Amino acid sequence: MLADLLGIPPQLLFGQLLLGLISGAFYAVLSLGLAVIFGMLNIVNFAHGALYMLGAFASYFLLKILGINYWGALILAPIIVGAAGIVIERFLLRRLAGVDHLYGLLLTFGLALVIEGLFVKFFGASGLPYPTPEALKGGVNLGFMFVPWYRAWVVVAAVIVCVFTWWLFERTKVGAYLRAGTENPTLLQAFGVNVPLLTTLAYGYGVALAGLAGVLAAPITQVAPLMGSNLIITVFAVVVIGGMGSIMGAAVTGLAMGMIEGLTKVFWPEASATVIFVIMAIVLVIRPAGLFGRTA
Amino acid sequence: MKMLKTLAAGVSALALTVGAAQAQISDGVVKIGVLTDMAATYSDLAGSGAVAAAEMAVADFGGTVAGAPIEILTADHQNKADIAANKAREWFENENVDSLAELVTTSVALAVFEIAKQQNKIALVSGAASSPLTNDACIPTGIHYTYNTRALAVGTGSAVVKEGGDSWYFLTANYAFGEALQRDVSAVVEAEGGTVLGASKHPFPSSDFSSFVLQAQASGAKVVGLANAGADTTNAIKAANEFGLVASGQSLAALLMFITDVHALGLDTAQGIQLTTGFYWDLNDETRAWSQKFFEKTGTMPTMVQAGVYSSVSHYLKGIEATGSDDTDTVMAWMRANPVNDFFAKGGEIRTDGRMVHDMYLVKVKSPSESKGPWDYYEVLRTIPGEEAYGPLSESTCPTK
């Protein structure tokens, strides 16, 4: 009906919606990490795109040097990236605790430029190829479009990660501690909880999510130093639309924005790079705290 | 005694001529500014490799020309026209730079052309592709050296149509270059009796092409033409493979592809792709010798853009050497009057519209089993004569030709 109305064949419309869901899966996992970090550390983590890229490179090197395949990388690469994140938090971000958000933003932005610059220097901008895992090669023809198994797997993986993260932060004791730590760290510490350790782990987890998204992306795009630099801006817009720090909001908005972007690619491809920012501007005017954010 | 006198006279005469030559070189030094993309999408096909190529040209000249030292300046324009224009103006006005080289990205080259025209300085374009640079947008001091969108269209476009690919759909980078490439290829396709069914203009740069690939599949066109470059092309090819575009009977035409793109994709994915190039390292002994030197310096084989930078800078320096002057009009006149003869081009001619006309090559990417080793990627299918690739001067719409 809608398809007839807009003069677009329904096959194309469904296809684009499905593709939008797939790119939305990446937005969801990445913005989830950002939301966790902002929620727990009050840091606007501009290094997220670079860490996502590190995840992809980690899986590339695991395969090339150690012969560890995709499934191994899916576990190991996020751990490696998470460890890198913990080092960053311990030695750099911790020094900025208590100062204005802007400093954290500048530090992480600078860090991203340095990491990406070094990777361009050593590996070039065109990137390196990463093969699709054997088990997920090929695809299924749904009648209106051909869906590669790998892309379907990405959506499944993203949903699992989102649900797990939500459960971890909203339904477990660790999550309760973390949320309490954001509300009142001093009081929580008085109860004998190691708040700095919690913060470090939260950053490590958020960053590991970026690393995981990098592994998921490796077979789809080139493993390239700048793969995160364009994505990160869009993902920030997603986080702002969803509400900074809202875990549920980040995941749902990620998937929704992917689909809206997918539709724009049919109707007005030139605008597909900007549509999310237009929505962000509108949301900021109507609900400054974001769609799922709690107004302070 | 007499001998000493003769010797003294000889030496002073020599000193005089050297002095005279040096007087013709403005501020006593020849400065060439290499303005390129050092870290983004096009940095592999141009970037530090282009700088290395310019340095090799200077080194092969012995570091001096007409008695004056040669200096290379480099800057990163980040593919942004405003940054490039500001840098070009700064170099011309404050640094007394005599000419600019490389200039990848059409929007950059167009902006720099404006400045070069105002300042009457030479711009040696190697990386930018669009044919308007020697048509409507031409300048008297601009040289478009390595290739252009028309040559790519004539090479790849007509080859594909002749093989039966007579209906086309384009995935086009949404800026001046993508539009120029689509326009030039459409003209060739239609002239050969084919039809163009449509195009999707994608943002530059894009990382996910699945949606555009789906639209191309829905168009039903026999050929999907990629009017983009660098990482956009490699990502589009990956998405096309993943979504079974080729498996379902459509074919893919990469209208601009560099050897670094093939290297990045790997032969498994890239095999069978036909493309047009202005240079390949493994053409003959001369190209192999130069490319080997380049490889030792940079660790990669040269792209046509990088080889073109070497050749264009050398030709420019030869002009200064021969005329003893770095005056723009004098050197331009020499460069036009004398053919380019080096490993890059044989009998290359620089026309009054700024086009350097030289032979191009239609090549096919080898399969992993055909390739004998690293960088052994192309099989040359056809040499396209310069005149055919670039068209006659009478076709050029350059007002100052």
Side-chain angles (χ1 to χ4, degrees):
Chain A
M1 177 64 179
L2 178 75
D4 293 341
L5 212 66
L6 296 166
I8 301 273
Q11 286 91 337
L12 195 57
L13 195 67
F14 290 136
Q16 295 296 347
L17 280 173
L18 194 62
L19 285 177
L21 196 67
I22 296 167
S23 55
F26 281 103
Y27 294 158
V29 175
L30 283 168
S31 57
L32 199 61
L34 282 178
V36 167
I37 293 169
F38 185 78
M40 304 304 152
L41 284 85
N42 266 333
I43 290 235
V44 182
N45 187 31
F46 254 93
H48 219 64
L51 293 159
Y52 157 78
M53 176 271 285
L54 279 185
F57 267 94
S59 36
Y60 177 83
F61 287 120
L62 284 170
L63 182 72
K64 284 284 146 169
I65 297 172
L66 301 174
I68 295 171
N69 70 6
Y70 175 82
W71 305 104
L74 213 51
I75 312 264
L76 286 176
I79 295 176
I80 295 168
V81 176
I86 286 174
V87 172
I88 293 172
E89 202 278 334
R90 274 267 131 127
F91 292 98
L92 297 170
L93 289 175
R94 177 145 303 180
R95 293 163 197 275
L96 296 179
V99 297
D100 195 89
H101 289 175
L102 201 58
Y103 292 95
L105 188 152
L106 287 173
L107 175 71
T108 50
F109 185 58
L111 212 56
L113 292 180
V114 171
I115 296 172
E116 286 172 350
L118 284 175
F119 273 73
V120 168
K121 169 100 181 97
F122 290 109
F123 306 106
S126 315
L128 308 154
Y130 188 88
T132 308
E134 241 3 272
L136 295 173
K137 277 195 174 151
V140 56
N141 200 333
L142 295 182
F144 60 89
M145 76 173 288
F146 177 88
V147 182
W149 289 122
Y150 187 79
R151 301 259 176 168
W153 152 248
V154 167
V155 177
V156 174
V159 170
I160 294 173
V161 168
C162 290
V163 171
F164 174 77
T165 306
W166 175 81
W167 171 81
L168 183 71
F169 281 84
E170 303 288 336
R171 289 285 178 272
T172 66
K173 202 167 181 185
V174 179
Y177 281 163
L178 278 166
R179 280 176 292 130
T182 1
E183 290 289 324
N184 194 336
T186 329
L187 192 60
L188 189 66
Q189 196 127 21
F191 282 115
V193 177
N194 188 345
V195 175
L197 179 70
L198 271 183
T199 320
T200 306
L201 289 178
Y203 188 78
Y205 183 75
V207 160
L209 285 177
L212 180 73
V215 185
L216 290 174
I220 295 181
T221 58
Q222 287 286 96
V223 177
L226 302 175
M227 62 192 287
S229 63
N230 295 315
L231 201 57
I232 191 67
I233 307 293
T234 315
V235 171
F236 262 106
V238 169
V239 175
V240 171
I241 295 168
M244 292 295 272
S246 160
I247 286 169
M248 194 62 179
V252 173
T253 317
L255 290 171
M257 288 305 120
M259 290 172 77
I260 289 178
E261 199 184 46
L263 282 182
T264 319
K265 281 178 178 167
V266 189
F267 299 120
W268 192 13
E270 294 94 322
S272 60
T274 39
V275 64
I276 290 181
F277 300 99
V278 174
I279 296 173
M280 180 183 85
I282 296 170
V283 167
L284 282 178
V285 170
I286 299 170
R287 274 185 71 102
L291 293 178
F292 296 82
R294 287 179 290 262
T295 27
Chain B
M1 188 65 197
K2 194 174 176 230
M3 203 181 96
L4 205 64
K5 252 188 180 168
T6 322
L7 201 67
V11 167
S12 46
L14 203 68
L16 215 64
T17 48
V18 170
Q22 228 163 9
Q24 295 288 313
I25 304 293
S26 56
D27 67 301
V29 51
V30 172
K31 285 190 186 176
I32 303 166
V34 180
L35 194 50
T36 185
D37 171 5
M38 293 298 281
T41 320
Y42 299 150
S43 57
D44 279 1
L45 64 94
S48 53
V51 176
E55 285 169 355
M56 283 169 72
V58 172
D60 289 351
F61 241 82
T64 57
V65 61
I70 311 164
E71 201 180 306
I72 298 273
L73 282 74
T74 60
D76 182 5
H77 62 49
Q78 301 169 32
N79 298 325
K80 293 189 176 102
D82 52 336
I83 295 180
N86 286 337
K87 196 72 206 176
R89 184 176 284 119
E90 181 197 319
W91 272 352
F92 288 145
E93 288 179 356
N94 304 336
E95 300 271 353
N96 289 319
V97 165
D98 299 292
S99 65
L100 297 180
E102 208 292 291
L103 305 168
V104 72
T105 313
T106 295
S107 40
V108 161
L110 288 170
V112 169
F113 262 23
E114 266 316 299
I115 312 292
K117 188 180 173 186
Q118 287 165 17
Q119 309 264 345
N120 195 38
K121 300 280 187 181
I122 294 174
L124 306 163
V125 178
S126 187
S130 303
S131 52
L133 290 167
T134 50
N135 285 286
D136 296 342
C138 77
I139 58 165
T141 57
I143 295 176
H144 198 187
Y145 205 84
T146 306
Y147 70 110
N148 72 7
T149 49
R150 188 190 189 279
L152 300 173
V154 168
T156 317
S158 68
V160 171
V161 179
K162 279 183 186 128
E163 283 167 14
D166 54 4
S167 61
W168 284 61
Y169 188 88
F170 290 97
L171 302 187
T172 306
N174 189 24
Y175 73 107
F177 150 69
E179 284 156 27
L181 187 49
Q182 185 189 328
R183 193 169 53 238
D184 284 345
V185 176
S186 299
V188 167
V189 167
E190 278 158 8
E192 302 260 354
T195 49
V196 175
L197 299 178
S200 293
K201 287 187 177 170
H202 66 78
F204 164 72
S206 286
S207 53
D208 186 12
F209 279 81
S210 49
S211 163
F212 304 115
V213 165
L214 204 67
Q215 293 179 48
Q217 281 177 316
S219 75
K222 286 186 193 165
V223 180
V224 178
L226 303 178
N228 48 25
D232 282 343
T233 304
T234 50
N235 281 329
I237 292 172
K238 287 194 96 165
N241 276 335
E242 202 190 346
F243 282 85
L245 187 133
V246 177
S248 65
Q250 286 177 298
S251 67
L252 210 55
L255 297 167
L256 175 53
M257 222 177 157
F258 298 90
I259 195 161
T260 41
D261 298 328
V262 174
H263 189 69
L265 274 175
L267 290 182
D268 270 332
T269 314
Q271 59 179 307
I273 293 175
Q274 288 188 16
L275 59 104
T276 303
T277 182
F279 178 77
Y280 177 47
W281 68 270
D282 199 9
L283 289 171
N284 54 50
D285 287 343
E286 254 183 298
T287 57
R288 280 188 285 271
W290 183 81
S291 303
Q292 193 54 41
K293 270 170 71 184
F294 182 88
F295 185 83
E296 280 156 19
K297 196 170 158 83
T298 62
T300 58
M301 278 299 177
T303 60
M304 62 167 155
V305 170
Q306 292 156 346
V309 167
Y310 177 95
S311 179
S312 61
V313 169
S314 296
H315 195 60
Y316 170 71
L317 291 175
K318 282 176 195 162
I320 297 178
E321 183 77 25
T323 58
S325 160
D326 66 353
D327 171 64
T328 298
D329 299 336
T330 314
V331 179
M332 275 303 286
W334 187 94
M335 289 173 80
R336 286 196 185 118
N338 292 277
V340 178
N341 273 314
D342 57 12
F343 74 93
F344 178 80
K346 288 278 172 274
E349 179 207 353
I350 296 171
R351 297 193 311 215
T352 48
D353 62 347
R355 183 65 250 167
M356 204 284 263
V357 178
H358 63 105
D359 291 353
M360 300 287 288
Y361 307 93
L362 178 70
V363 302
K364 188 174 158 187
V365 179
K366 290 181 176 178
S367 68
S369 60
E370 288 166 336
S371 170
K372 288 191 212 68
W375 299 97
D376 178 21
Y377 292 156
Y378 294 164
E379 176 196 341
V380 178
L381 299 179
R382 185 166 95 88
T383 301
I384 308 158
E387 176 87 349
E388 183 189 336
Y390 295 104
L393 182 61
S394 57
E395 261 182 29
S396 171
T397 57
C398 171
T400 53
K401 70 180 178 188

